[in-house]
Amino acid sequence: MKFGWSEAEDIGIALHEKFPDMDPTHVRYTDMHKWIVELEDFDDDPAKSNEAKLEAIQMAWLEEWQGNQ
């Protein structure tokens, strides 16, 4: 299943699966952006991200991470 910037929850889950021990609150947006566009199922224009989208993804990732602590 391919996803883009609007699927924050799917991206958050994918990041948690790739980095299960990483606390998302300690990740810089620049690093997170790079990791997102490198995800196998990511299929969107890297330039279409913005701070609000990255924040939503970070919160989705945080929710996944906290649920597995």
Side-chain angles (χ1 to χ4, degrees):
M1 177 177 116
K2 299 291 183 182
F3 47 76
W5 293 114
S6 61
E7 288 82 35
E9 187 174 323
D10 292 332
I11 296 172
I13 291 168
L15 288 170
H16 176 67
E17 289 173 352
K18 188 168 185 177
F19 306 103
D21 297 324
M22 187 171 295
D23 179 347
T25 62
H26 294 115
V27 175
R28 295 181 308 186
Y29 283 169
T30 53
D31 291 332
M32 188 170 58
H33 182 278
K34 178 181 181 290
W35 298 338
I36 292 166
V37 299
E38 291 174 349
L39 290 171
E40 184 177 329
D41 292 329
F42 182 77
D43 187 29
D44 204 343
D45 182 351
K48 289 187 177 180
S49 73
N50 59 41
E51 188 173 345
K53 290 177 183 178
L54 292 171
E55 183 178 351
I57 292 166
Q58 185 181 40
M59 292 300 101
W61 183 7
L62 179 62
E63 188 174 315
E64 284 296 310
W65 182 75
Q66 287 176 332
N68 288 284
Q69 292 301 302

